[in-house]
Amino acid sequence: MDNSTVLVGSICRQPEHSESPAGIPHTVLVLEHRSNQMEAGLNRQAYVRIQVVLTGTALTQHTRQLTLGNMVKVSGFLNRHQSRSGQAKLVLHAQQIEHIS
């Protein structure tokens, strides 16, 4: 059973590239998704902004050409992150990313 989450949207914040103390490359971007969905027979506007984390050389090399406004399709898994201040947020950990525009 595949439990991947797939989201299509535009990059709404410039991607941030960093490296862990162990030398593992990371890219963090914020994805904005807008769509119309059917719910209980009614049309509903869906909107979300979510932080996307890409880890490892293969994924982060692919993100070097991505910039603000690019449309991407991301698949991965959702996880809870807690900030230093103790605030929790939902984050999408990408396992695959595709530039679609």
Side-chain angles (χ1 to χ4, degrees):
M1 181 169 156
D2 183 15
N3 291 324
S4 290
T5 298
V6 178
L7 195 62
V8 174
S10 64
I11 297 173
C12 62
R13 192 175 302 155
Q14 192 64 35
E16 298 174 11
H17 306 282
S18 64
E19 195 170 284
S20 74
I24 299 169
H26 299 281
T27 299
V28 176
L29 53 93
V30 177
L31 194 64
E32 182 176 88
H33 167 86
R34 292 178 187 266
S35 65
N36 290 312
Q37 303 293 324
M38 290 297 289
E39 181 178 38
L42 300 172
N43 197 22
R44 178 180 184 159
Q45 290 186 352
Y47 170 78
V48 68
R49 270 190 177 187
I50 189 166
Q51 183 172 311
V52 178
V53 176
L54 301 104
T55 302
T57 305
L59 281 177
T60 56
Q61 281 180 346
H62 181 68
T63 63
R64 293 287 177 190
Q65 73 236 19
L66 295 177
T67 60
L68 192 64
N70 286 151
M71 290 290 292
V72 294
K73 179 179 178 181
V74 180
S75 62
F77 63 93
L78 295 170
N79 198 25
R80 179 182 179 271
H81 278 218
Q82 190 165 331
S83 69
R84 288 188 177 111
S85 66
Q87 187 173 0
K89 65 180 171 181
L90 194 61
V91 175
L92 178 58
H93 285 259
Q95 295 171 312
Q96 187 174 17
I97 186 166
E98 178 184 346
H99 184 206
I100 56 176
S101 73

